[in-house]
Amino acid sequence: MLADVPVVFVLAGITAYTVLAGADFGAGIWTLVPGGGQAGAAATRDHTRHAIGPVWEANHVWLIFVLTVAWTCYPGAFGSIVSTLAVPLLIAAIGIIFRGTAYALRSQFDASGEPGVRLVERLFALSSVLTPFALATVIGAITTGRVPVGNARGDLVTSWLNPVSVLAGVLAVAFSGYLAAVYLAADASRQSERALARDFRLRALAAGVVAGLLAVAGLLVIRAEAPALWHGLSSGLGLALVIVSALAGVVTMVLVWLSRFGAARASAALAVAAVIAGWAAAQEPRVLPGLTVTQAAAGRATLIATIVGVAAGAVVLIPSLALLYSLVLRGRLDAPGSVNEPDTAGAAKATRPGRADGAGSAGRTRLEAAFAVVTLVAGAGLLVFADPAWAHGLGALALVACAVTVFALAAEPPGSPGSSGSPES
């Protein structure tokens, strides 16, 4: 019984990360295809960027929480998973890093017409697609029993590039876009942006249909490729949770159709959470082939210490996150200069001192951005692919240089040389 408690923590963390960070990734997806609406592509990108600004970093707390609890309480299973699935996990990590870097760099551009801004926006959008896809392939590999117990015992390619895993990745991207469209429609409605609310309402309906069709296709693929998982999903608690997810999805579609976006947020989150719970119920009590939760668990002292630590941390973390999300939902953290406010920033920029040599400042910003990208790639490459200790040291220094450069770009005060003065920075 004690060994099952950290599993509940891990599943809660995965659910929170999927529902919250998944919506952030979905917002990035909609910046990749922003056209086709009444509000226009520029307004769509601005709305998505402002909406995720207060929470996108906080949402990654859940991923760190899941990883920490998993490697502490189930070290053997964790080692087997990360060694066999090193490739998709590395892809996800790179996607998260590039996405954060692109988001920070985007705030240094004054307008969409500046040189380099489209490259940064595309990097942000593509990273938002790549990361949920890669993370979902990890889940697909685990559920289909392609991760054997032991260090790198599974195939490094076919373990995560198989029909179930690939479909799981595509479904994760669709779910992210679906959640984001519902959340962004709610934000636009709160800000009285009728065109944006109408656009994202239609996107939510379309994404919901696509996600529903992919979910049905996923069940058919699971039936053919993973009979054990299919049995768990088609009987008992697993079947009940699949039904709950389907009903919640239908309710969400009805609420979105009626423009009841606040309630649609909750039902959309329930639909996605039920999918994760259904997967866990179908796989219980296995973690990996031939390894149960009890067998994978660490010692009693470690489990108790982790449970106590999580409980103590929750006293601080949960109220803090609840306050943050409540402020966001009530619009208390809406950024000045958002799409529903007059553009007073542009006039201010024209009169700021230090803007005369805007070309030189923009050039310096581009050089700093290029340096950040080069040091990021070099640091990651040296740490991952090189063996000598000196190469690891250079890799660490390169990543530190990247972090310092990105921080300097994001922290420059408005009106200073090299600063964009953007209200988003």
Side-chain angles (χ1 to χ4, degrees):
M1 181 64 181
L2 187 65
D4 294 327
V5 176
V7 170
V8 176
F9 294 158
V10 169
L11 291 174
I14 292 175
T15 302
Y17 189 68
T18 303
V19 170
L20 299 172
D24 284 353
F25 290 129
I29 294 169
W30 290 119
T31 67
L32 185 64
V33 284
Q38 296 182 1
T44 299
R45 289 194 179 99
D46 287 343
H47 180 60
T48 55
R49 194 166 60 252
H50 285 298
I52 68 175
V55 296
W56 72 276
E57 290 178 292
N59 289 336
H60 287 300
V61 168
W62 298 109
L63 179 60
I64 298 170
F65 171 75
V66 168
L67 294 175
T68 302
V69 173
W71 85 52
T72 302
C73 297
Y74 310 101
F78 183 84
S80 301
I81 292 169
V82 298
S83 58
T84 292
L85 301 174
V87 175
L89 289 171
L90 176 62
I91 292 172
I94 292 173
I96 291 172
I97 293 169
F98 272 80
R99 185 174 181 273
T101 302
Y103 187 86
L105 291 178
R106 177 60 182 85
S107 67
Q108 299 307 306
F109 293 94
D110 290 339
S112 297
E114 280 198 59
V117 67
R118 293 298 296 127
L119 175 61
V120 171
E121 288 180 341
R122 289 193 184 100
L123 178 61
F124 175 74
L126 292 174
S127 299
S128 298
V129 174
L130 190 64
T131 304
F133 176 86
L135 289 174
T137 62
V138 171
I139 301 297
I142 295 172
T143 58
T144 54
R146 297 176 185 269
V147 183
V149 178
N151 188 35
R153 294 285 182 84
D155 191 281
L156 293 177
V157 178
T158 60
S159 59
W160 64 283
L161 286 181
N162 57 77
V164 174
S165 293
V166 170
L167 190 58
V170 175
L171 187 58
V173 174
F175 273 163
S176 296
Y178 168 57
L179 286 171
V182 174
Y183 293 5
L184 290 169
D187 289 338
S189 179
R190 187 192 69 241
Q191 296 168 2
S192 299
E193 283 291 331
R194 295 179 181 176
L196 280 168
R198 187 161 43 248
D199 290 348
F200 279 107
R201 172 179 172 270
L202 294 176
R203 290 173 179 136
L205 292 171
V209 171
V210 172
L213 293 175
L214 286 172
V216 173
L219 290 174
L220 297 177
V221 172
I222 287 172
R223 182 177 182 180
E225 298 286 332
L229 181 61
W230 167 256
H231 176 72
L233 290 173
S234 59
S235 60
L237 181 59
L239 177 60
L241 289 168
V242 168
I243 294 173
V244 168
S245 178
L247 291 176
V250 172
V251 169
T252 302
M253 297 290 281
V254 173
L255 290 171
V256 170
W257 180 266
L258 297 175
S259 297
R260 299 285 302 275
F261 300 121
R265 284 182 193 255
S267 58
L270 175 61
V272 175
V275 171
I276 297 172
W279 156 60
Q283 186 153 332
E284 197 272 334
R286 289 182 302 110
V287 179
L288 299 176
L291 185 69
T292 66
V293 171
T294 302
Q295 293 169 340
R300 180 181 176 83
T302 300
L303 296 178
I304 292 176
T306 301
I307 293 170
V308 172
V310 169
V315 173
V316 177
L317 179 64
I318 300 302
S320 301
L321 290 177
L323 175 61
L324 172 63
Y325 295 135
S326 66
L327 291 174
V328 171
L329 293 176
R330 287 183 289 168
R332 301 292 294 274
L333 298 182
D334 287 344
S338 60
V339 292
N340 65 316
E341 296 179 3
D343 184 14
T344 58
K349 289 176 191 173
T351 61
R352 281 179 188 150
R355 300 295 296 176
D357 70 333
S361 298
R364 195 189 76 177
T365 299
R366 286 195 292 271
L367 286 175
E368 291 174 343
F371 177 78
V373 172
V374 170
T375 52
L376 175 63
V377 173
L382 288 170
L383 286 174
V384 173
F385 299 108
D387 291 327
W390 62 265
H392 289 174
L394 286 178
L397 288 176
L399 291 181
V400 170
C402 174
V404 171
T405 304
V406 172
F407 179 81
L409 281 169
E412 282 179 342
S416 64
S419 168
S420 69
S422 170
E424 302 131 31
S425 57

